[in-house]
Amino acid sequence: MTTDMGLAYDEIVKEAISGKNAARKLICAKKYALLDQEVNDSEIMQMLDILDIVIASLPDRNQATSSPVNNQTELTHYRRVASFLDIIFRKTGLEMKDGETCSKATKEVRKHNARTYNDNDKKVIVGRRIDLLLSTMGIELGSSEWKKDSTSPGLGKQQQVKNARTNKAILRTLEKMSMDDNERDGLFVLGMDWIGQNGYMIAVKHVDDGYCAYHMGDMMIPPTLNNLKDFKSTLNLLYQYKHHLINMTEIVEPAFYREQAKSKLHTYRLPSNPKRPPSPDTLFTPVKKKTKQTNANKNDHDHDNESESDNEYD
């Protein structure tokens, strides 16, 4: 987040001490001031939209929560984060594919493994089902997963491993695209894992001869107004996520069109043939036989014919 966004955030947190209505009034005043300046969809406006959603859903001070977090479904937790991403990704061209979408990158990896290890199973190979795939122009840029709050630590670990592997498969697919070595070396993929209202962001990067997944930061959705200040670091991380995806798009988009051009022109390229023996000597058109001439004419042209014959076979 920018400095102005951070200052506005802190001011709203301070106002929230007086209650959610006071905080929402301040948000409305700031949004009105921006609209009065013809600022329609800046990042600070997006932040204000998100804060209004968050605060409106929270219980007011000294008010009990309406629904225990551990009773909420996985979809409920996903929808809440997705509503923030819908706002943050406005006008970026980034695509959010949700609802247990199959990852194309993981499908290609599974097909490769089946060929490598002679797996003759006749079952149709499909990709891993992912809660949220971020993509641009149909190219996957990262995956994220959700579990409900009551998920066991063991199941949470399984989700973590699955998501790390999925993001590694996505990164491998991106690395195969037509791009400069410097661009390829700078690639890394971000993904999120959420357990209820708490989550974390990971990055997967190619390092030397392997791929490493490392922790980028923890995230949380505030359960009360008193926790609103804790949401600032989460929002900051989500904006870093957005900017990274935009940078990825700037690399992937030209690479996509290079791949498209290569695919179209491949048909018109001569195939690479195996090494063959040297070509034979140059072939010339055979000399036509001359018609038989009378003796009188023959004597007159003997010398010329000999010259012609010699020249034709040179």
Side-chain angles (χ1 to χ4, degrees):
M1 297 194 303
T2 64
T3 302
D4 288 343
M5 291 170 70
L7 292 173
Y9 192 101
D10 293 340
E11 190 178 348
I12 293 166
V13 169
K14 187 179 295 184
E15 192 67 19
I17 296 173
S18 302
K20 60 189 292 184
N21 285 344
R24 296 190 69 192
K25 285 177 182 178
L26 179 58
I27 290 172
C28 289
K30 288 185 174 296
K31 289 170 74 172
Y32 181 83
L34 289 172
L35 291 171
D36 201 40
Q37 299 170 24
E38 303 297 327
V39 178
N40 188 29
D41 195 33
S42 63
E43 288 193 344
I44 191 168
M45 179 67 85
Q46 294 172 0
M47 182 195 75
L48 294 172
D49 286 343
I50 292 170
L51 280 176
D52 195 32
I53 293 172
V54 170
I55 294 173
S57 66
L58 293 177
D60 213 339
R61 294 193 175 278
N62 303 319
Q63 180 183 350
T65 55
S66 58
S67 174
V69 173
N70 57 4
N71 288 343
Q72 296 176 357
T73 65
E74 177 182 309
L75 182 58
T76 300
H77 294 298
Y78 167 75
R79 284 203 317 261
R80 188 169 291 122
V81 179
S83 68
F84 305 155
L85 297 179
D86 282 333
I87 294 170
I88 290 174
F89 294 152
R90 279 195 307 230
K91 298 183 179 179
T92 61
L94 293 168
E95 304 161 9
M96 293 173 56
K97 298 181 178 179
D98 53 15
E100 296 286 322
T101 303
C102 289
S103 165
K104 293 185 291 185
T106 59
K107 178 180 179 179
E108 291 305 313
V109 169
R110 296 186 72 191
K111 288 167 66 175
H112 171 77
N113 291 341
R115 290 192 300 268
T116 302
Y117 299 104
N118 297 319
D119 185 354
N120 297 319
D121 194 339
K122 300 300 181 181
K123 290 182 180 178
V124 177
I125 296 177
V126 296
R128 294 298 186 194
R129 297 187 181 278
I130 309 300
D131 291 332
L132 176 65
L133 279 170
L134 269 297
S135 63
T136 181
M137 300 162 55
I139 302 167
E140 295 169 1
L141 300 177
S143 75
S144 296
E145 293 285 350
W146 274 259
K147 291 293 181 188
K148 60 184 181 180
D149 190 70
S150 58
T151 297
S152 67
L155 189 56
K157 280 284 187 182
Q158 288 180 22
Q159 171 180 278
Q160 183 183 56
V161 172
K162 172 192 172 185
N163 202 23
R165 287 175 173 172
T166 300
N167 280 298
K168 183 237 180 176
I170 290 172
L171 179 57
R172 289 263 296 176
T173 301
L174 294 174
E175 288 176 333
K176 294 175 185 177
M177 298 183 71
S178 300
M179 61 182 68
D180 297 336
D181 288 340
N182 289 336
E183 293 174 330
R184 188 174 290 106
D185 291 341
L187 284 179
F188 64 94
V189 172
L190 294 177
M192 297 183 292
D193 279 303
W194 286 87
I195 308 292
Q197 294 192 134
N198 301 293
Y200 55 89
M201 189 174 291
I202 63 166
V204 178
K205 183 169 174 56
H206 195 169
V207 180
D208 296 330
D209 296 328
Y211 290 82
C212 294
Y214 51 97
H215 182 265
M216 294 292 290
D218 291 333
M219 298 179 289
M220 62 96 68
I221 298 172
T224 68
L225 277 178
N226 290 328
N227 296 109
L228 189 60
K229 62 182 179 181
D230 303 323
F231 184 58
K232 185 178 180 180
S233 59
T234 297
L235 205 53
N236 189 53
L237 202 56
L238 290 176
Y239 272 102
Q240 291 179 27
Y241 186 38
K242 169 192 173 179
H243 295 152
H244 173 69
L245 290 169
I246 291 172
N247 291 336
M248 291 268 285
T249 299
E250 291 174 355
I251 296 173
V252 167
E253 185 180 81
F256 170 80
Y257 286 113
R258 291 187 202 112
E259 294 284 330
Q260 195 176 64
K262 187 190 298 183
S263 177
K264 285 184 179 179
L265 297 176
H266 177 74
T267 308
Y268 305 102
R269 293 195 183 115
L270 294 174
S272 56
N273 294 322
K275 190 174 181 181
R276 61 176 185 171
S279 297
D281 290 338
T282 306
L283 301 176
F284 293 99
T285 305
V287 177
K288 292 181 181 180
K289 289 184 178 180
K290 291 191 175 293
T291 55
K292 190 173 183 180
Q293 299 176 348
T294 61
N295 288 336
N297 291 334
K298 181 179 178 183
N299 291 333
D300 292 339
H301 296 287
D302 274 347
H303 179 70
D304 292 339
N305 287 342
E306 288 174 6
S307 299
E308 282 183 18
S309 178
D310 289 342
N311 289 336
E312 285 171 343
Y313 284 97
D314 281 348

